[in-house]
Amino acid sequence: MKHHDVIIIGAGAAGLMCAATAGYRGRDVLVLDNAKQAGRKILISGGGRCNFTNQKVEPANFICGNPHFVKSALARYSSQDFIELVERHGIEYHQRDHGQLFCNDSAKEIVTMLLTECEWAGVSVKLRTEITNIAKVDSGQFLLSTSNGDLSCESLVIATGGLSMPKLGATPFGYHVAEQFGLKVLPTYAGLVPFTWHSEQKQKFEPLSGIAVPSTITAKDGTQFSEALLFTHRGLSGPAVLQISNYWLPGETISINLLPNMDANEALAQALANHPKQSLRNTLSQWLPKRLVEVLFEESLLNMALNQLVHAQRDQVIADLHDWELLMNGTEGYRTAEVTLGGVDTNELSSKDMQSKKVPGLFFAGEVMDVSGWLGGFNFQWAWASGVAVGQAI
Ligand code: FDA
């Protein structure tokens, strides 16, 4: 049986970062993955350009049952630390809205960088390996049965990610290991995911597919995001929708402000004063795409001149524009979700090194834990920071 100081299961963002960090500390590290390629999610991330971090990362950008849990790791490995690593490897990058940093060329550069770091740190990476059994023996070591033979280690790191995109090899493996060792796993939900229409809504709104507008979307708990909203064939998407999906629970409504940058009450009063005979349709079409206006409001209302509208009608139009309340059918689920909400309960883990409080030597890194970030490079920053926190401890 081959023995290693450390075995890391999962050659994704957190696993590779953790491996390089431990390897540089002189640990004998083996990374196992059942996929045929390392870092597959990195490769497709950010439309192939990988939004690898964000200029401004705060604990408030993360959702976790224990909001203090992320603080230590994020403070000890900042986005600036990752940017310096990217720069050392000569990877060119650019900044987009809201501090998001993307590769100029390709996400492949990030995977190559991580594998190069692993190689320099003396880490072995073994792909196409199924782990069929894990046991902890009296000596404190972990014994692993794998499709490539039996292995043992002092420290075992679970970095197998969440459930999003099963097509890319996402599995519940990490949750099963946690449960096997008696750790609590919180219910999981698809996060950063588009919403879908009810069949009635679909009939009405499907023709709007492709329209994007600025918006502010508010969840039931008051969380708000001001970004673009995109109508799709299946429902609603765009950054504002993906962000708010992290704060949405089935059966809850969302409120959409379709004119986040103006006061519809004032604008309508102004239009009434200047062009009293202008139709509501022509007035609203100056502010929103005409197709959207025509689907949102009744034909008879749109044909009215501004000076024909009674107060109640005007108030309703204003409410519909600033506080369009929608009950969506659901989300597209893990098939298209970027992250998984929930996971290994962080109350079971040390926030310093992500080691199980119950099972010494068992560590978790990355998305497998109950930590999910906003859209904008935060999920990768969590993978890097938690990977480093574990790598420094094992
Ligand atoms: P990750 O999923 O990266 O790695 C897990 C590894 O474990 C994989 O290599 C997998 O093969 C392996 N594994 C799983 N089950 C196994 C088993 N049973 N046996 C062995 N190995 C197993 N975030 C961001 O910050 N910026 C962005 O631009 C994007 N873009 C983006 C696009 C899309 C389409 C998705 C789906 C996700 C993103 N994300 C993102 C989220 C980001 O990809 C994600 O949060 C990190 O990859 C999580 O890193 P982990 O290392 O925890 O898991």
Side-chain angles (χ1 to χ4, degrees), residues 10 12-14 33-34 44-46 51 160-161 171 173 338 367 377 379-380:
D33 202 298
N34 61 358
I44 57 142
S45 67
N51 175 196
T160 45
T171 73
F173 181 88
E338 286 200 11
E367 200 184 313
N379 285 294
F380 278 135

Side-chain angles (χ1 to χ4, degrees), residues 7-17 19 31-34 39 131 157-161 173:
I7 293 181
I8 299 170
I9 306 180
L16 293 176
M17 197 68 185
V31 183
L32 300 176
D33 202 298
N34 61 358
I131 296 93
V157 184
I158 307 299
T160 45
F173 181 88

Side-chain angles (χ1 to χ4, degrees), residues 106-315:
S106 162
K108 268 190 216 148
E109 293 174 293
I110 299 292
V111 176
T112 303
M113 176 189 83
L114 293 169
L115 290 174
T116 304
E117 288 286 320
C118 281
E119 196 185 323
W120 289 345
V123 169
S124 311
V125 179
K126 222 174 171 59
L127 302 172
R128 300 172 194 264
T129 304
E130 294 294 338
I131 296 93
T132 51
N133 193 50
I134 300 176
K136 191 168 200 273
V137 290
D138 290 345
S139 63
Q141 290 188 0
F142 293 90
L143 305 185
L144 277 70
S145 310
T146 82
S147 54
N148 286 318
D150 293 345
L151 300 162
S152 63
C153 63
E154 307 297 326
S155 302
L156 178 65
V157 184
I158 307 299
T160 45
L163 295 173
S164 51
M165 299 236 168
K167 225 176 38 191
L168 287 182
T171 73
F173 181 88
Y175 308 137
H176 293 163
V177 174
E179 281 166 349
Q180 177 194 336
F181 286 101
L183 277 68
K184 190 169 169 195
V185 177
L186 298 176
T188 57
Y189 304 91
L192 298 183
V193 63
F195 285 130
T196 52
W197 300 124
H198 285 285
S199 53
E200 221 173 77
Q201 291 169 321
K202 188 169 157 64
Q203 245 183 348
K204 184 166 174 191
F205 296 113
E206 198 177 6
L208 298 180
S209 165
I211 289 181
V213 288
S215 72
T216 295
I217 308 189
T218 310
K220 269 287 151 218
D221 69 356
T223 308
Q224 281 195 335
F225 288 95
S226 293
E227 288 192 64
L229 159 75
L230 172 70
F231 289 84
T232 71
H233 285 291
R234 288 184 293 268
L236 293 175
S237 189
V241 169
L242 300 185
Q243 298 279 34
I244 213 70
S245 71
N246 276 355
Y247 295 86
W248 176 86
L249 285 172
E252 288 182 356
T253 55
I254 52 169
S255 161
I256 303 178
N257 182 349
L258 289 165
L259 295 175
N261 303 317
M262 62 191 276
D263 180 335
N265 189 21
E266 252 173 44
L268 271 177
Q270 188 95 51
L272 175 64
N274 296 341
H275 311 285
K277 295 211 165 115
Q278 183 171 264
S279 69
L280 182 65
R281 172 186 280 102
N282 287 349
T283 309
L284 298 184
S285 299
Q286 291 167 5
W287 309 332
L288 286 170
K290 194 170 175 196
R291 272 200 291 156
L292 172 57
V293 168
E294 290 181 337
V295 168
L296 281 179
F297 299 100
E298 296 286 331
E299 173 83 12
S300 53
L301 187 71
L302 289 175
N303 288 337
M304 289 172 80
L306 295 180
N307 63 3
Q308 291 176 313
L309 293 174
V310 297
H311 277 302
Q313 286 171 317
R314 228 182 62 163
D315 289 349

